[in-house]
Structure formats: structure tokens, C-alpha cells
Amino acid sequence: MRTLVSAGLVAVAAVVSACGTAGPAEPGAGGVKVWALQDPVLNPIEQKSIDFFKSGGGNASLETFGNDPYKQKLRVAIGSPNAPDVFFNWGGGNLKEYVDAGKIADLTPVLDQNSALKSAFLPSVLDGAKIDGKYYGIPMRGMQPVLLFFNKEVFAAAGAQPPKTWDDLLALVDTFKAKGIQPISLAGSQAWTELMWIEYILDRIGGPEVFRNIRDGKGQGWKDPAVTEALTKLKELIDRGGFGTNFASVGYDVGGASTILAQGKAAMHLMGSWEYVNQLGQSPDFVKKGSLGWVAFPSIPGGKGDPGNVVGNASNYYSVTSGSSQVEAAKKFVSTALHEDSYVQALIDAGDVPAVVGVESKLAKAANSEYTTWIYGQVKEAKSFQLSWDQDLPAEKATAMLTQLQEFFLGKVSPQQFVDAVAAR
Amino acid sequence: MRSQRPSGWYAVPAYGFFALFAVLPMVLVVYLSFTSWQGLGTPVPNGTANWSRLIADGEAHAAVGRTVLLMVVSWLFQTPIALLIGVWAAGPQRSRAVLSSIFFLPLLLSTAAIALLWQALLDPNFGIAAGGMQFLGDPDIAIYTVVFVISWQYIPFHTLMYQGAARAIPASLYEAATIDGASRVSKFLHITLPQLRYTLVTSSVLMLVGSLTTFDTVLILTGGGPGTATRILPLHMYITGFSGFEMGYASSIAVVLVVLGTALSVAVMRWSGFRAMSSQQEGS
């Protein structure tokens, strides 16, 4: 009975994963099948790396998928006969689930044999795909730390300076509220935007160890007093009206939060580094006249965390599935093109900040160099790069945490209730 | 008359497809509900763990409550409107054809388009409600907003059913009533409404089962939010299964949905005279 059911499940999985392929589905032909996220800017670059691999005698093909379906498709496909040989991922706990299931090839030997490859990437970013001391992914695109964006015009009109400390931030909330401007823009209909706040506050208060313990199930986990303290700080900010009153119906994907900032209806916006490119696309004049400002997340006096620490997505990675019939070719592919000059240059030209060592001069020559150079310096100097919690926790725990967080922002759950609920999972 | 029925063998392909695409997946889901499966590797049987978790899961209970609320409110909202417009549209008025086709428009749009459209319209910063009420962001209001959007989409369909049924009522009934001096209201209450009772049952079953399994509109419009204010049972199943990757637990929720849906449609049919609904085709 069990084998029959498993066979049935595999058949269903095979049917599901055969549907809805968006990219060119070149079946087999001995090529390495590469899966990535649909992205009009990045996909041509990925295609170039494949062409480069082909020109060296290899054979590979690219398939791309939309953001939300991607994780589901990957989950269903891995372990089925339709699994990709190489796939795009976010590293962290998300990748760890696959590693624990024995589906991912260890890339440590590849990196050890190829010192040019290993030394090409910033160590903190390379570590994003390091699990139990082994490397399971190679960075394949830019770094995406979270930073505090602000509207320079709104700040100038209020005679205000961007916040350096938590108290500055609270004071700014009052300043902007008095002027009828929403202090901080928040796309609160999506929990991951709210997550960025608690990630930074906890890192500043308790340092990166607190979350590391939560993830690894060590120490007090969520019950660490720093978590409650961080949530209490955040609650203060919410209750003070920092995010206005209608954030729960603002969406990021539809441009709500970014537009409020660009139009001067809100003063600040905490968001991933992609916000710059996003603003450039949606409100080009706002960026071009130099009104978009950015600073690091404020420090919290008395906190243990280094104010230079960043949170966000270190990078995206290519990983190799261990069940692939062409593991060797796949390993060759991930070690061939990703640190090549032409690939790195293409990422920079697209506005990305590659996780590659020594690209300062290249960045300085590129468009938007002021911004990309700043990002690069910020990450390079950071002592810790905390991966977004929803990527770093197992999916089941991340989902429960995001639900609680939304309730918390709505004021339905107190800091203590939040801690109790997530600790119980 | 039995001998004139087509042979049962004609139904074999239909039964085959039904077994393959409805029964087999259902059996698999029931099996999965007794396993722990992260979507990776082989499901591990874990006895009744999922079921005892479901019994204790406050979030799931709240989701059931919301689903029932959504069902009841949308039935109460849609039925009178659809009935009245349908009966009106069956009449001979001159403006009827034009107005009916305008009423009909929402049904032609895809669910995703409708959800995105209303999301934009109700945006607190840029929509028609800018600066005013928060229709999607207020946990106490959001579920009624969802009912409204779903109703906006499906009322035209039910209107169409009532319109067709109202047209089929013999004119002689109305003529006789007119001779007896019946008012418009009394004609509606004593002729139209009783004649439409089977349509009312059909429409109600579709509405109730439809809102029990409503999913796409809510997913796109609110994603279950704000917080969990609109997280109805199907969405709870989806989030558990495809965000949390707890496939085993999600399967037990799915089983509950199947049972509820079946029970509901059977109950409505029974309660409203299921046996009387014999086929017109067979002339019995």
C-alpha cells in the first residue's frame, strides 16, 4: 500500500511539475537544466552565463518561473524525475530543509579546488549558503541589504536630519505627524515588510546571536528577553503613529508604499536595496532630481548589536541537486561563469551590487555609482549579515511567525503573546 | 420507461475520469491527512496527530467561523438582489435589454482581474476611498468587503438563472391573477416566488458551496489579511500547505472542507425537497 501511494504521489508531482513552465523547456538533450526566477533584468544575464558555458563545450538550458509559484514548484519537483540540476535559491534555512533531506550536493570540494572561485566572493555572503560548515550554494546575483530610505525634500521642509539613533527616529515621528505627514511608509498588507523592522531592532538590541539561537533551537530561543524588549520598542513606534493608520491595506507589489514616499506623503521607508531600482522605474523624476536619500538603520543606545550589522537577503544562490544525473556538469556550470568579469559587469550594468571582492572601481564607473558603492561598502564592513527570518527559518515556522507578526502590528497581539505563540511552534 | 434509457456502458468513460481525477486524489488526500509530509521525500504516517491538532487548533476554528459567516452573509446579500433583478429582467420593459447587459458585465471579468480592480479602487491612499474608510485594512470590515466583491462578481450569474426561470412561468397564471384583481406584490409572492423555488434551491446550493470553497478572490484581494481577519478555511489550508509546507496537516483541513461541502449541498437539497427535483428530460 505504501509504495503504491508513494508512486501515486510521485505521479501527481510529475504532472504538477510538468505544467505551467514559463521558459523554454528544452527537454534533456544531456544539458544542465537551470531553474531561476522570472526577472526581465536578470534573465538575459543568466542566459549569457549559460551561453558562456556552452561556448566552453558545456550544455545547459534556462527555465524561469514566477516568484510565488517558484518555491512550490521547486518543492514538488525536487526528488521527482523532473528536478532541475541547478536551481536559484535564497540560502539559509530555506535551503537547509533540502540539505537535511539529502537533496543538495556539497559544493565545498568545488570551492576548495578552485581557489579563484572561493576568494572571488565576500565571505559573509558566501556564508549565506553555508550549512553545518559546508557550502551548498554559489552567489549568483547582487546583495540585497535592507536600508532606511527617506524623502530629502520632506526632511528639508521640516528642517530635519535623517535618524542616527532610535530616539532620533521617535522624535522624527512627532515632527512629521505635527506636519500632517505620515512618518514611515509601510506596505503592511504583506508581512515581510513588517518583518524587516523587528529584524533590525532585535539585531541592534541583542546582536545577531539572539536570532541564531532561535533558528538553531539553542538557548532560550524566542523566550530571550531581548525579543520581548525589541517587540516592546516596535510597539511603541506603532502606537506612536509611526506607520500612520492605514498601513494594513497598503501593498508593496502594487507600488503603494513606494509611491507614498515619492509623493512626499510619507517621510521614510525601510526596504531592501531593490527599492532604488523600483523607485527609478516608478518615479524616475523623484530619483533623478536627487530627492531619494538613504541611511543605515538607526542604532539603539545600550544595545549589544553592532550598528554596522545589516539584515536582508545576502544574495541569491545557485545550488546543485544531488539526485541529478549530471552532477559533475552542474558543478562545472556553477563554478565557471558566476565570478567571470563579463558576468559581474553585466550585473553591475543592471544596477545590481555583486557579492564579488574588489569591484569598487567597476561600481564607481557605473550609473548610480553613489548608491551602489554605498551598498557595497555597507555590506563589506558589516560584521554580520542576517538573512531575512522568513528565509532563514523552516517554512512552517516562518509562516506561523509572519501570521503572528501581522496580528502584532494590528495591535491584536502583545509582545508577550507574540513570544508565547511563536515559541510554542 | 426504463427500457428507453441509454445503456450504462456509455457512462464508463465518465466514471473513469471521475475515478482518476476526483476519487483517487481524494483517497490520496485522506491518506496524507494521516501522515507528516513536508512536501519532500516520502510521507511519514503519524497516526491521528494531524486530526488531534486540528481539533485543538484555534486558528482553524476561527477560519471555520469566518467561512460560515462569509457563506451566510453572502447568501443573505446576493439572493434578494439576484432574485429581484432577475424577475425584473424577465419582464417586457424597454430599457431591460441594455441594463441587463450592463448588469452582466462583472461575470465576464476574470476573478483575478476583479480582485485587483477592487484592491486598487479601495486603496486607502490612491483609491476612491482615499482618506476615508479602510475597507480592506480594518479587521472588522474586511470580511464584509470580501462579501461585497464576491457578490458583485456572482450576482449577475444568479440573476441570469432567475431571469431564465421567471421567463418560463406560464403567462396564463398571471392573466388569471389579473382577472382576480391581484396586485403586483401579491402576484410576485403567490405566483413568481413559488414557481421559482427550484431555481432558488439550485442558486442557493451554488452560492453556499461556492462561498465555502471561495479562494482566489480572497487570496488576491486580502491574502487572508489584515492579520487573519479574512483567512477562511480554504485559504488556511492553502497557507498551511503551500507556505508552511505542512502537507499532511493541510490535507486534514482539505478533508474537512470536502465533508462540509458535501454535507451542505445534501442538506440544502433534502431540506428543500430534493426528491421533487426529478428530471424533466425523462418526463416523469
Side-chain angles (χ1 to χ4, degrees):
Chain A
M1 178 61 195
R2 239 188 87 188
T3 44
L4 181 68
V5 172
S6 320
L9 286 172
V10 170
V12 170
V15 170
V16 172
S17 51
C19 300
T21 298
E26 264 174 48
V32 173
K33 193 156 62 170
V34 182
W35 278 18
L37 221 54
Q38 236 170 57
D39 183 327
V41 177
L42 201 58
N43 291 156
I45 303 174
E46 287 157 359
Q47 187 56 50
K48 255 188 233 162
S49 73
I50 282 176
D51 295 341
F52 180 80
F53 181 58
K54 277 183 177 166
S55 70
N59 189 11
S61 64
L62 179 70
E63 286 182 47
T64 62
F65 307 92
N67 189 16
D68 288 342
Y70 179 75
K71 284 187 193 172
Q72 298 164 15
K73 258 191 89 73
L74 189 66
R75 181 64 77 130
V76 175
I78 282 194
S80 86
N82 285 312
D85 303 304
V86 172
F87 67 95
F88 171 107
N89 65 81
W90 291 263
N94 228 290
L95 181 63
K96 186 173 187 299
E97 284 186 82
Y98 292 116
V99 172
D100 289 346
K103 305 288 183 195
I104 310 297
D106 180 7
L107 297 175
T108 318
V110 176
L111 285 162
D112 286 345
Q113 284 158 24
N114 191 341
S115 60
L117 180 68
K118 188 171 184 179
S119 56
F121 298 104
L122 294 176
S124 67
V125 176
L126 200 54
D127 283 355
K130 190 175 181 181
I131 292 153
D132 299 332
K134 291 174 183 167
Y135 294 100
Y136 290 95
I138 311 275
M140 48 75 69
R141 69 166 303 185
M143 309 181 285
Q144 297 147 10
V146 172
L147 48 150
L148 188 66
F149 291 90
F150 65 96
N151 186 322
K152 284 185 185 166
E153 285 170 55
V154 172
F155 267 74
Q161 292 296 320
K164 287 199 176 69
T165 67
W166 185 254
D167 292 335
D168 290 351
L169 186 70
L170 291 181
L172 283 171
V173 168
D174 298 339
T175 308
F176 288 117
K177 264 175 71 183
K179 294 202 162 270
I181 292 166
Q182 187 178 319
I184 303 161
S185 172
L186 178 71
S189 70
Q190 291 160 301
W192 57 265
T193 60
E194 301 173 337
L195 185 63
M196 294 172 170
W197 281 93
I198 189 63
E199 284 168 356
Y200 258 130
I201 297 174
L202 182 62
D203 196 283
R204 293 284 187 269
I205 289 180
E209 304 78 29
V210 181
F211 183 75
R212 208 177 298 146
N213 283 340
I214 291 170
R215 187 195 63 192
D216 299 341
K218 288 182 187 150
Q220 297 165 287
W222 287 107
K223 299 269 187 186
D224 191 313
V227 178
T228 321
E229 198 189 328
L231 285 161
T232 309
K233 274 237 175 336
L234 179 55
K235 187 169 168 51
E236 214 179 300
L237 184 63
I238 300 167
D239 291 347
R240 208 176 182 119
F243 303 103
T245 51
N246 60 19
F247 58 83
S249 35
V250 176
Y252 187 77
D253 297 337
V254 290
S258 306
T259 313
I260 304 173
L261 181 78
Q263 291 185 349
K265 290 179 182 169
M268 296 171 268
H269 188 200
L270 186 69
M271 193 35 71
S273 60
W274 58 84
E275 172 75 353
Y276 186 92
V277 182
N278 201 17
Q279 289 282 7
L280 202 55
Q282 279 181 16
S283 316
D285 294 341
F286 172 59
V287 183
K288 280 177 191 155
K289 68 183 173 191
S291 302
L292 178 66
W294 57 87
V295 287
F297 193 84
S299 66
I300 297 182
K304 280 187 216 156
D306 189 295
N309 289 349
V310 289
V311 310
N313 296 331
S315 180
N316 294 116
Y317 302 87
Y318 272 146
S319 294
V320 173
T321 51
S322 56
S324 156
S325 58
Q326 34 204 347
V327 177
E328 289 316 312
K331 282 180 180 169
K332 198 164 225 169
F333 170 71
V334 297
S335 56
T336 304
L338 304 178
H339 60 303
E340 269 302 312
D341 260 5
S342 60
Y343 185 78
V344 171
Q345 188 63 48
L347 284 177
I348 292 174
D349 292 344
D352 240 343
V353 185
V356 174
V357 174
V359 291
E360 284 93 339
S361 60
K362 280 187 185 138
L363 285 170
K365 272 181 260 166
N368 313 321
S369 60
E370 192 194 348
Y371 179 71
T372 50
T373 307
W374 188 88
I375 295 275
Y376 187 78
Q378 195 74 14
V379 175
K380 208 179 142 197
E381 298 305 320
K383 293 200 177 79
S384 148
F385 195 139
Q386 169 60 51
L387 180 62
S388 302
W389 294 356
D390 55 343
Q391 308 289 357
D392 212 1
L393 288 172
E396 163 209 340
K397 291 193 171 148
T399 305
M401 175 197 65
L402 291 176
T403 303
Q404 286 299 319
L405 193 64
Q406 282 202 297
E407 298 282 66
F408 175 77
F409 265 80
L410 288 170
K412 302 214 154 198
V413 161
S414 71
Q416 193 57 49
Q417 284 169 320
F418 178 95
V419 168
D420 291 342
V422 290
R425 288 304 292 259
Chain B
M1 298 298 268
R2 288 242 158 228
S3 58
Q4 286 187 13
R5 279 189 165 180
S7 152
W9 290 107
Y10 284 101
V12 165
Y15 283 135
F17 279 115
F18 184 71
L20 186 64
F21 292 110
V23 178
L24 178 69
M26 246 187 273
V27 171
L28 284 174
V29 165
V30 171
Y31 169 75
L32 279 179
S33 75
F34 291 99
T35 65
S36 162
W37 190 38
Q38 256 64 60
L40 278 172
T42 320
V44 182
N46 66 351
T48 52
N50 291 330
W51 290 96
S52 33
R53 180 174 162 196
L54 187 58
I55 288 165
D57 184 357
E59 238 167 61
H61 298 171
V64 172
R66 278 177 220 119
T67 306
V68 172
L69 180 73
L70 183 87
M71 268 174 14
V72 172
V73 176
S74 61
W75 186 83
L76 286 175
F77 187 72
Q78 292 185 60
T79 304
I81 298 178
L83 183 63
L84 289 175
I85 299 181
V87 171
W88 174 81
Q93 305 86 335
R94 200 184 299 165
S95 53
R96 188 185 49 79
V98 176
L99 285 175
S100 296
S101 27
I102 294 175
F103 287 147
F104 195 66
L105 276 177
L107 197 61
L108 301 177
L109 301 174
S110 79
T111 305
I114 287 173
L116 290 173
L117 173 77
W118 281 100
Q119 201 180 42
L121 282 173
L122 298 175
D123 186 290
N125 291 298
F126 309 103
I128 46 171
M133 265 173 89
Q134 270 205 85
F135 291 97
L136 292 169
D138 186 325
D140 298 323
I141 298 175
I143 190 138
Y144 299 102
T145 310
V146 168
V147 169
F148 174 79
V149 173
I150 292 173
S151 303
W152 187 81
Q153 179 180 10
Y154 286 109
I155 282 177
F157 171 74
H158 295 281
T159 300
L160 202 64
M161 285 179 64
Y162 285 116
Q163 183 191 356
R167 288 229 175 113
I169 300 172
S172 56
L173 292 177
Y174 291 105
E175 283 157 14
T178 312
I179 290 166
D180 288 344
S183 68
R184 278 183 71 150
V185 175
S186 117
K187 274 191 242 177
F188 176 78
L189 288 177
H190 295 106
I191 301 173
T192 314
L193 217 47
Q195 291 284 327
L196 289 180
R197 65 183 185 277
Y198 294 146
T199 314
L200 185 68
V201 172
T202 312
S203 154
S204 299
V205 170
L206 288 175
M207 246 178 228
L208 292 174
V209 176
S211 28
L212 178 71
T213 52
T214 295
F215 167 71
D216 38 6
T217 316
V218 190
L219 177 72
I220 300 169
L221 193 62
T222 67
T228 53
T230 57
R231 194 182 283 191
I232 49 174
L233 199 57
L235 198 61
H236 187 56
M237 172 189 79
Y238 173 81
I239 291 172
T240 311
F242 289 98
S243 298
F245 291 114
E246 296 180 274
M247 296 293 181
Y249 186 50
S251 298
S252 58
I253 303 177
V255 173
V256 170
L257 265 175
V258 171
V259 171
L260 281 183
T262 314
L264 187 72
S265 57
V266 169
V268 175
M269 292 287 203
R270 279 282 153 86
W271 163 76
S272 55
F274 171 68
R275 291 201 182 83
M277 292 189 60
S278 46
S279 164
Q280 303 284 316
Q281 289 291 331
E282 293 191 22
S284 53

